[in-house]
Amino acid sequence: MSYDYLKGRKCMVWTFMGNSRMYQALAAYGDRLSQVGLFSFKVSRTGVITESGVAISNMLAYINRWPHIKWLLTISNDGTNSIFAALRDNTDGAQDTFLSEIVRIMEKYPWCDGIDIDLEKGDGYSTHAASTAMFRNIYNTVKGYDSSKLMNICLPGMNSINGSVGGENWCVYGDLNAYCDTAAIMSYGMAWAGSAPGAVSPRDWLEGIYDYAVTVMNPEKIFFGLPAYGWNWQIYDLPANLGKTYRGTSNTYYAAKNWMTGQYNFTDDAPPQPFIPILAYWDDYDMVPWALPQVYDFMEGRDATSYEYPLMNGTYNRRHYLTAYSKEQPTEFDSIYVDADGTTSSYSGIVSFENGVATLGDAGSATYTFSVSSAGTYDIAIRLCYPFWDKNGIYVSIDGNQTHFTESRLWWPYWKSTFWTTLASSISLSAGTHTIVISVDVKGVQFYGYRVCSSFSEAPSAGTATFTLSPRHFIDVDGNECQPDRAFKLTCEMLRRKPDSALIWYEDFRDYGVLQTNYWTTLSGSWTVWR
């Protein structure tokens, strides 16, 4: 039994570049190519085809050298939507002209194996029927002229109907299957000049395109695209400030390799910036190389030598980060003179005591006394807990001067946890005995105790992390010791999300009444209470 070793292993390329490297590749590797699109024809919105780009005369030597290659005449619209629309809708006879022009160029170059249609930037799904009809008319024209001529169509990458990342939902693979001999799916361009940095053809997207295409088209017709290029994104400033429209500048693989190995620099390939190889690595998941220009060391969140709660290590899309979903309360107490819990024998009303915690009920009040040995200026801090959102108020006094402690901000980080707060700051106390009294505002608030000290401070914190870096000298491409011309800069990659719509759990999940409007302040938009 014979085996077709070329089945599913064919390769199609285009003569788009027109540079010396392209001609070298055709000469050296033409035996490995199956199909070549001669990128030499442009169509206008009137349907007229003109020749531009790589001259056909420059290709004849290669066409004669490699007769096994299917040489197709590629007709493109340079991604101009108005041209696509005019051809699709036959505006002023544009499609009719286009069809006759296709016959004309096949007659001019009778050795061609067929036509390659590269029409990009169509419109949405509402135009899919008219778009399919246009390709049907092109296919019938080619086959009507010579049934042996082939027709390849270039299609956008899609993973479903209406599944184009670029808005080209006019394309329905299953409808177009009957109107082509081969289809080159442009499964590249997820990341582009104007996008955020990323893989040009990320794995998950590619697999989605593959899985969809082979279920609705004849798999033997399909060429899947792989990018032989990359982008150099400059993200340190806005494109307009850099004199650019987009952040990205395209690179061939050879140019990208030269960046990685230090053959190029950002000062016009001349001093003062030395030629230092940059940080580069291979992404085993997306199967693409990555490089970080002018970056000489790199760490992810999990590479911290230490970090403290509430910071947590997480992973998203294979990126390892640190984040916090809450805040803790670091406190500082200097020279603590009195440290007492919530236990006392002097109380009235309903007050319960357990494990040093006083919980106030109906008409609850408790009295605490402490002494300082010398007159002076002190800070007094108290420790409280609001155990539910509706148990959120208490009165506390020092020597008769009462303060009302309450909280209603839903984003406040210390709900249902203990926290320290200031009862008195820089208060003058005489030597001897002083009195603290707590009394109920809302039943259920918990009093954990108090401290008298020389100074007290607190602040909410999402935690801290420590990273260890080792700046050092490098060796340039000539073997000389060097360092970056502008020294080292430390940059951090952060993700700060815009606020999402919020589901606010009011009270303690009970639905006794409608949430009061004074629970929030409307800065923009509108709020409604869902019950």
Side-chain angles (χ1 to χ4, degrees):
M1 180 178 179
S2 62
Y3 181 76
D4 185 356
Y5 286 93
L6 293 180
K7 184 176 181 180
R9 292 175 171 83
K10 297 179 180 180
C11 179
M12 181 178 182
V13 297
W14 288 262
T15 59
F16 176 78
M17 295 299 292
N19 55 14
S20 60
R21 173 63 192 166
M22 183 197 80
Y23 293 111
Q24 291 170 4
L26 280 172
Y29 308 117
D31 60 329
R32 308 175 193 186
L33 302 178
S34 311
Q35 196 160 288
V36 173
L38 298 167
F39 215 85
S40 305
F41 302 90
K42 307 291 184 187
V43 60
S44 70
R45 63 185 302 171
T46 63
V48 173
I49 296 174
T50 56
E51 296 189 29
S52 65
V54 175
I56 295 296
S57 58
N58 293 343
M59 296 302 304
L60 293 177
Y62 305 95
I63 293 169
N64 293 327
R65 180 174 179 178
W66 304 116
H68 72 283
I69 294 177
K70 302 299 183 183
W71 299 93
L72 307 180
L73 308 180
T74 298
I75 308 167
S76 74
N77 68 334
D78 279 339
T80 303
N81 173 261
S82 61
I83 296 176
F84 191 109
L87 298 177
R88 179 194 65 219
D89 300 335
N90 199 22
T91 304
D92 297 327
Q95 188 181 129
D96 296 334
T97 300
F98 184 42
L99 298 178
S100 63
E101 286 283 88
I102 289 173
V103 173
R104 177 182 67 80
I105 63 174
M106 287 192 293
E107 290 176 339
K108 183 176 179 180
Y109 301 108
W111 46 260
C112 77
D113 292 292
I115 298 295
D116 171 36
I117 302 297
D118 182 20
L119 298 179
E120 302 179 29
K121 294 295 182 184
D123 292 298
Y125 181 73
S126 63
T127 67
H128 80 279
S131 300
T132 299
M134 174 180 66
F135 281 90
R136 179 198 64 209
N137 294 339
I138 298 171
Y139 180 79
N140 290 339
T141 296
V142 172
K143 297 299 182 179
Y145 170 73
D146 184 342
S147 61
S148 68
K149 297 293 186 184
L150 303 175
M151 178 165 153
N152 179 76
I153 55 178
C154 298
L155 302 179
M158 308 184 71
N159 53 22
S160 66
I161 294 176
N162 267 326
S164 168
V165 298
E168 298 207 57
N169 291 309
W170 61 268
C171 175
V172 178
Y173 288 170
D175 292 350
L176 295 168
N177 179 62
Y179 306 121
C180 65
D181 295 290
T182 56
I185 296 180
M186 295 176 284
S187 44
Y188 43 82
M190 171 65 84
W192 59 289
S195 75
V200 174
S201 295
R203 172 178 170 176
D204 294 338
W205 184 56
L206 285 179
E207 291 179 349
I209 296 172
Y210 297 166
D211 292 343
Y212 168 57
V214 299
T215 60
V216 296
M217 299 186 75
N218 181 350
E220 295 186 10
K221 291 185 175 185
I222 298 172
F223 287 97
F224 283 116
L226 292 175
Y229 67 95
W231 296 96
N232 186 342
W233 287 278
Q234 293 176 281
I235 61 174
Y236 58 87
D237 203 346
L238 297 174
N241 296 336
L242 300 173
K244 295 182 176 183
T245 302
Y246 298 120
R247 298 182 185 277
T249 301
S250 63
N251 290 319
T252 65
Y253 266 35
Y254 295 96
K257 179 182 177 182
N258 284 339
W259 279 109
M260 296 178 190
T261 56
Q263 305 302 311
Y264 300 150
N265 71 13
F266 287 96
T267 52
D268 297 324
D269 299 335
Q273 188 180 79
F275 293 91
I276 311 174
I278 60 179
L279 182 67
Y281 63 94
W282 178 258
D283 184 330
D284 284 327
Y285 185 85
D286 283 329
M287 300 298 177
V288 294
W290 276 87
L292 302 175
Q294 291 184 277
V295 174
Y296 309 103
D297 199 356
F298 175 80
M299 291 186 179
E300 291 189 304
R302 69 172 180 181
D303 296 323
T305 54
S306 65
Y307 59 90
E308 63 183 20
Y309 186 82
L311 282 177
M312 298 180 180
N313 178 12
T315 303
Y316 179 75
N317 276 352
R318 305 172 306 284
R319 297 294 303 278
H320 303 279
Y321 60 85
L322 291 178
T323 191
Y325 298 102
S326 62
K327 290 186 177 182
E328 296 292 290
Q329 187 189 42
T331 56
E332 291 188 7
F333 296 89
D334 291 335
S335 301
I336 299 174
Y337 304 108
V338 179
D339 187 358
D341 63 18
T343 303
T344 182
S345 59
S346 176
Y347 64 92
S348 62
I350 304 300
V351 183
S352 62
F353 299 95
E354 185 177 2
N355 297 323
V357 180
T359 303
L360 299 178
D362 288 332
S365 177
T367 301
Y368 304 83
T369 59
F370 66 89
S371 298
V372 293
S373 59
S374 59
T377 301
Y378 298 87
D379 283 358
I380 304 175
I382 56 175
R383 194 181 186 195
L384 304 175
C385 176
Y386 300 142
F388 290 102
W389 288 273
D390 62 343
K391 302 181 187 306
N392 60 341
I394 187 174
Y395 293 98
V396 185
S397 66
I398 173 67
D399 292 340
N401 295 314
Q402 189 179 76
T403 302
H404 182 208
F405 293 91
T406 187
E407 185 56 67
S408 61
R409 296 168 294 179
L410 294 180
W411 58 263
W412 190 63
Y414 306 138
W415 286 113
K416 303 177 73 173
S417 64
T418 61
F419 65 95
W420 287 93
T421 188
T422 299
L423 173 60
S425 178
S426 299
I427 186 174
S428 295
L429 297 179
S430 60
T433 301
H434 299 271
T435 302
I436 291 176
V437 176
I438 64 171
S439 55
V440 66
D441 174 24
V442 180
K443 294 184 295 183
V445 174
Q446 298 168 338
F447 179 77
Y448 277 71
Y450 61 94
R451 285 179 179 176
V452 180
C453 57
S454 60
S455 68
F456 163 71
S457 63
E458 60 84 23
S461 171
T464 60
T466 301
F467 295 84
T468 301
L469 303 174
S470 302
R472 55 198 176 274
H473 285 88
F474 296 95
I475 302 299
D476 68 15
V477 295
D478 296 319
N480 301 314
E481 190 176 85
C482 64
Q483 66 180 38
D485 60 306
R486 286 173 288 180
F488 292 102
K489 293 184 178 179
L490 181 64
T491 59
C492 297
E493 184 179 11
M494 312 290 289
L495 176 61
R496 300 186 66 184
R497 298 184 181 276
K498 292 183 178 180
D500 291 329
S501 58
L503 180 61
I504 299 174
W505 296 103
Y506 57 95
E507 303 302 321
D508 57 348
F509 307 102
R510 290 174 293 186
D511 201 13
Y512 295 153
V514 176
L515 183 67
Q516 299 300 309
T517 58
N518 62 1
Y519 270 55
W520 74 85
T521 299
T522 301
L523 301 180
S524 63
S526 60
W527 290 85
T528 57
V529 177
W530 176 83
R531 302 180 69 195

